[in-house]
Amino acid sequence: DAKTTQPNSMESNEEEPVHLPCNHSTISGTDYIHWYRQLPSQGPEYVIHGLTSNVNNRMASLAIAEDRKSSTLILHRATLRDAAVYYCILRDVIVSGTYKYIFGTGTRLKVLA
Amino acid sequence: GAGVSQSPRYKVTKRGQDVALRCDPISGHVSLYWYRQALGQGPEFLTYFNYEAQQDKSGLPNDRFSAERPEGSISTLTIQRTEQRDSAMYRCASSLALTNTGELFFGEGSRLTVL
């Protein structure tokens, strides 16, 4: 299984940008990079995903290094509601058309008012 | 339904009893995943179905754990002869699959406590 490495925790001030790093040095050419977050007492929810190019959506941006061995999730303006555990995941291809998602321990983001 | 539905939400059982946890995925979703999550840890992969076929069960801890999805929709995770170490939140997720997005939609989870 492809592995990811994330810092255990990070802090940010409210209304400021947050950059959450993820290392995935063993990534293969077909692995998509997915980010999920888990709010307190809830199930994980999808944030964003990408393959090679940087991606933007209404929740966040994903910056992918040129060699794809690392990526960064960017929250442009952190709010108190963004306090959660953020997981960086490589979607593991088992065989064509079948995948599994292996979660690590994630980064616990604390947002300070 | 609108989302992934799991039942029961809470289950307390005595050691040695069998339990069955149910997952009703989003209508039309092909793939279904089971995860187990201990307090303060990330979700741990257990098993995965495409339609009714169990594609990967490498995460099931031992032979007391089994899962089925006989008609390609509702799935049941069964734990036989429960032990205290089985206590955890059990989460189910579904996805459309066969797409590059592969976004997982998680249910609220079933919290199992084994006394």
Side-chain angles (χ1 to χ4, degrees), chain B residues 14-15 19-20 24-25 28 31 35-36 39 54-55 70 73 76-77 88 95 99 102-103:
Chain B
K14 292 183 178 178
R15 187 178 54 186
V19 297
D24 194 351
S31 295
Y35 289 86
R36 177 172 69 174
L39 205 60
Q54 192 169 22
Q55 299 289 337
S73 178
T76 303
L77 176 70
S95 79
T99 68
E103 178 181 345

Side-chain angles (χ1 to χ4, degrees), chain A residues 6-103:
Chain A
Q6 299 177 253
N8 287 334
S9 63
M10 292 184 65
E11 282 188 0
S12 171
N13 293 319
E14 199 177 10
E15 304 293 315
E16 291 187 357
V18 182
H19 291 232
L20 298 166
C22 180
N23 287 320
H24 29 78
S25 58
T26 59
I27 192 170
S28 71
T30 55
D31 284 339
Y32 277 77
I33 301 159
H34 285 241
W35 283 81
Y36 282 74
R37 73 178 186 180
Q38 189 168 19
L39 301 172
S41 301
Q42 295 189 27
E45 63 176 354
Y46 168 83
V47 177
I48 200 166
H49 79 283
L51 183 61
T52 56
S53 304
N54 294 344
V55 184
N56 300 296
N57 66 20
R58 63 175 178 81
M59 289 182 71
S61 295
L62 176 60
I64 302 173
E66 197 168 333
D67 63 6
R68 300 207 330 122
K69 294 186 176 182
S70 66
S71 61
T72 302
L73 180 71
I74 302 165
L75 306 179
H76 295 287
R77 286 179 63 199
T79 70
L80 296 177
R81 289 178 295 178
D82 291 322
V85 179
Y86 287 79
Y87 297 98
C88 168
I89 302 157
L90 299 184
R91 191 183 70 168
D92 216 359
V93 179
I94 304 171
V95 295
S96 178
T98 66
Y99 315 97
K100 68 180 182 183
Y101 299 77
I102 305 299
F103 288 73

Side-chain angles (χ1 to χ4, degrees), chain B residues 21-40:
Chain B
L21 307 177
R22 173 188 163 121
C23 173
D24 194 351
I26 294 173
S27 178
H29 277 199
V30 168
S31 295
L32 186 147
Y33 299 77
W34 282 99
Y35 289 86
R36 177 172 69 174
Q37 188 168 22
L39 205 60

